[in-house]
Amino acid sequence: MKRLTTLLLAAKNTSASTGSNWSMILLLIVFAAFMYFFMLRPQKKQQQKRMEMMDQLKKGDRVILVDGLYGKVDSINNADKTVVIDADGIYLTFSRMAIRQVLPSDDAPAETTENSETAESSETSETSETTSEETAAETDESKAADDSKSAE
């Protein structure tokens, strides 16, 4: 009889622990999903964006390296995955992964500035031409008026 009671109690304990096992498994699944959506997925997107930036890298781009060094890309070696950076006349070789950020080029704003300066200078020259034409016309009118007064 004592053996039967022990077996019944053991059976009771295993059925209770089976229910807690399912809740523990469910908790682990929820935790894994949380980690994927809030930690791993954004990191993968950031890494993919960085790889796209590395693929678009070309000679002459201004870059910032992970250590804060600013420079210009002098050459790219795709076989070794390295870049040569020109930092004010000093040429340094780095891994492509050492590039933290590609800076926007100054070519576009410089052209815009030059175009606006050219447009302003052409407007100024047009204004000065108009002013000189008006001055010449006024001078002609005043000469004509003087001539008519002299004739009288």
Side-chain angles (χ1 to χ4, degrees), residues 121-134:
S121 64
S122 64
E123 288 175 8
T124 307
S125 63
E126 287 176 7
T127 307
S128 62
E129 287 175 8
T130 307
T131 307
S132 60
E133 288 175 3
E134 290 173 357

Side-chain angles (χ1 to χ4, degrees), residues 63-135:
V63 295
I64 301 176
L65 301 176
V66 292
D67 61 353
L69 180 71
Y70 284 71
K72 186 190 255 186
V73 175
D74 186 59
S75 66
I76 300 171
N77 186 345
N78 290 328
D80 295 338
K81 295 187 179 182
T82 59
V83 292
V84 176
I85 303 295
D86 176 12
D88 292 332
I90 301 169
Y91 294 91
L92 304 167
T93 303
F94 289 96
S95 168
R96 289 177 69 179
M97 289 292 132
I99 297 174
R100 177 177 32 168
Q101 181 181 1
V102 177
L103 298 173
S105 65
D106 288 340
D107 295 339
E111 290 175 5
T112 306
T113 307
E114 289 173 9
N115 290 341
S116 64
E117 289 175 1
T118 306
E120 289 175 7
S121 64
S122 64
E123 288 175 8
T124 307
S125 63
E126 287 176 7
T127 307
S128 62
E129 287 175 8
T130 307
T131 307
S132 60
E133 288 175 3
E134 290 173 357
T135 307

